[in-house]
Amino acid sequence: MDDSGSESHLSEKEFYIPNYILVPDCAAESVSHIPECPLLVFINSKSGGQLGGDLLITYRGLLNKNQVFDLGKEAPDKVLRKIYVNFEKLKHSGDSFAAEIQKRLRIIVAGGDGTAGWLLGVISDLKLSHSPPVATVPLGTGNNLPFAFGWGKKNPGTDPQSVRSFLDQVMKAKEMKIDSWHIIMRMRAPKEGCCDPIAPLELPHSLHAFHRVSQTDSLNMEGCHTFRGGFWNYFSMGMDAQVSYAFHSERKLHPEKFKNQLMNQGTYAKLVGTQGWFVASLRHPSSRNIAQLAKVKIMKRPGQWEDLEVPRSIRSIICLNLPSFSGGLNPWGTPNTKKKRDRDLTAPYVDDGLLEVVGFRDAWHGLVLLAPKGHGTRLAQAHRIRFEFHKGAADSTYMRIDGEPWKQPLPVNDDTVVVEISHLGQVNMLATPGCKSKSFSDPSSPSHHYEDDSNEEDDSTVDWEERRKFGAADTFRIPDDVDITQLS
């Protein structure tokens, strides 16, 4: 990059990383200026129609092209491993500049929630002493992650001035830790049917086959499959996941019709109506109610499972980590003082080790979220939650992880399908001032903390060493043969 020139060039120097840090074995460069906010930029060039590709061109024009990566061509796990190995090599040789770059490093990821979750999983897996904080550029349909941290939910401008404005926000943004969640699903492999969940057919990219299970697992038997993965925003089941599944199925069949963000959102709204969720009591059998489908257990303290009573009218259940769902809505809201006192409910902190569990009866109930202080039916806050499905009236249901839906077959005999969600760890995000997400560690937030006693007996059915990795490991990595255009 030319050191001379306009005020904008001087500003862009604060984000610039020289080649010898990005490209191993590249000739060392003489540098005198340490950038205030060195960046790595990952862009899903297939997101947002043409916007992803345009954004890639703009970033590469403003920064070193080698610090801007097209996720359609380079997987983030390989990129980050290469760069961090080079960091260690340079620091070992006494390079103080490289050490300072690593210390100040920040990351931008541009794409949908699926793309952002992919990158966060990779960073989580690297187990760095200080993971680089991440800012998210909204290029998807829902954009819940960007909205939760103040980056908006509308597609951004791709011209140089818009990108410079975003870079300025990234430099000024604050770091905020967020919880990550592990999900495990255990089931017998169905012998027939159109939704055989053998990876990577119809399952989300973040759920993968996992064969090493504990010998104490009662489901560890011939013919049983175990899948696991992770999420950052939410797991949901029922009504909302069914609508999402219909949307994604239609988009796979006719991708040319889904190039515009506003049109996508309009199509989504139409599906809610055509599937009958505004008249759910008339159009959908009681077998679609969550209480009919599953037995739900929660854990508020280590080792203490308790049954969760789900009202029979609830047709959708959401386990929420961030205060942003379906394009920025907050299903949990903020409980008033009476709720806090009588039911021990708190505001939804993103780093307190708790999931907010919310239920909805029908589409009309969902519209309540559009009103000031509107919220769903608050069911619980939990450190862990388990769904057990036994033989019943329904042969399948719909589930969704961070925007990726699938049709889940349910037992047809005496077998059991188990979905269990537990707290995994934390990563660092970048947040703008006044964003929706609130941190427990923020002194201005009211106090409510979950004490996780790591010495407590843990009855997990998978050993910790296997469970703790879900990012760059093969159990989370986007497979090479996956069409990235299908990733939100």
Side-chain angles (χ1 to χ4, degrees), residues 82-102:
K82 176 186 71 175
I83 290 174
Y84 272 89
V85 166
N86 201 38
F87 272 138
E88 294 307 311
K89 177 182 176 182
L90 294 170
K91 289 192 298 181
H92 188 262
S93 68
D95 190 327
S96 58
F97 178 82
E100 196 62 33
I101 291 290
Q102 182 181 354

Side-chain angles (χ1 to χ4, degrees), residues 104 246-247 323 330 412:
R104 300 184 184 192
F247 175 86
N330 182 1
V412 294

Side-chain angles (χ1 to χ4, degrees), residues 281-483:
S281 60
L282 300 176
R283 293 281 300 275
H284 294 276
S286 60
S287 60
R288 291 294 180 195
N289 298 2
I290 301 301
Q292 296 283 94
L293 289 172
K295 183 177 181 180
V296 187
K297 295 176 178 286
I298 60 172
M299 186 183 290
K300 294 183 178 180
R301 293 292 180 268
Q304 299 177 10
W305 286 106
E306 59 184 81
D307 292 335
L308 178 65
E309 295 297 328
V310 180
R312 295 183 67 83
S313 60
I314 296 298
R315 295 181 176 85
S316 184
I317 192 167
I318 304 163
C319 303
L320 194 68
N321 187 39
L322 304 179
S324 182
F325 178 78
S326 289
L329 302 175
N330 182 1
W332 186 256
T334 303
N336 59 34
T337 304
K338 185 175 185 299
K339 291 286 196 322
K340 292 179 183 178
R341 183 185 68 244
D342 296 346
R343 296 185 57 196
D344 192 27
L345 301 180
T346 75
Y349 301 115
V350 298
D351 57 353
D352 60 356
L354 293 172
L355 283 171
E356 282 68 45
V357 186
V358 190
F360 288 94
R361 298 184 299 274
D362 52 29
W364 293 112
H365 193 190
L367 290 179
V368 169
L369 298 182
L370 299 176
K373 299 184 179 180
H375 60 84
T377 299
R378 299 184 184 112
L379 300 174
Q381 286 174 301
H383 182 63
R384 203 161 176 173
I385 185 166
R386 178 190 291 166
F387 299 90
E388 296 179 359
F389 303 88
H390 301 278
K391 181 180 178 180
D395 59 2
S396 64
T397 187
Y398 297 86
M399 299 180 182
R400 183 162 61 144
I401 298 176
D402 284 358
E404 291 194 88
W406 76 100
K407 186 177 183 179
Q408 174 61 41
L410 298 180
V412 294
N413 47 35
D414 293 333
D415 292 332
T416 303
V417 173
V418 176
V419 175
E420 188 171 309
I421 300 167
S422 56
H423 187 259
L424 180 67
Q426 293 183 326
V427 293
N428 294 315
M429 298 295 290
L430 287 169
T432 64
C435 71
K436 292 184 62 158
S437 295
K438 302 301 177 187
S439 168
F440 168 79
S441 60
D442 186 343
S444 64
S445 299
S447 178
H448 177 82
H449 186 52
Y450 175 82
E451 296 291 343
D452 185 6
D453 184 356
S454 58
N455 295 321
E456 191 77 32
E457 182 72 19
D458 186 353
D459 66 347
S460 172
T461 55
V462 289
D463 56 59
W464 173 251
E465 281 303 308
E466 290 299 324
R467 185 166 68 90
R468 70 186 181 87
K469 298 178 72 175
F470 71 95
D474 288 341
T475 47
F476 193 89
R477 183 177 60 82
I478 305 298
D480 293 334
D481 58 350
V482 167
D483 182 359

Side-chain angles (χ1 to χ4, degrees), residues 50-96:
Q50 183 62 34
L51 294 179
D54 292 345
L55 208 56
L56 187 72
I57 294 171
T58 302
Y59 270 100
R60 284 180 171 170
L62 294 175
L63 305 175
N64 181 347
K65 66 178 183 179
N66 287 323
Q67 71 188 96
V68 182
F69 305 92
D70 182 352
L71 288 171
K73 297 179 179 179
E74 299 179 274
D77 51 319
K78 295 178 182 178
V79 169
L80 290 174
R81 285 186 184 279
K82 176 186 71 175
I83 290 174
Y84 272 89
V85 166
N86 201 38
F87 272 138
E88 294 307 311
K89 177 182 176 182
L90 294 170
K91 289 192 298 181
H92 188 262
S93 68
D95 190 327
S96 58

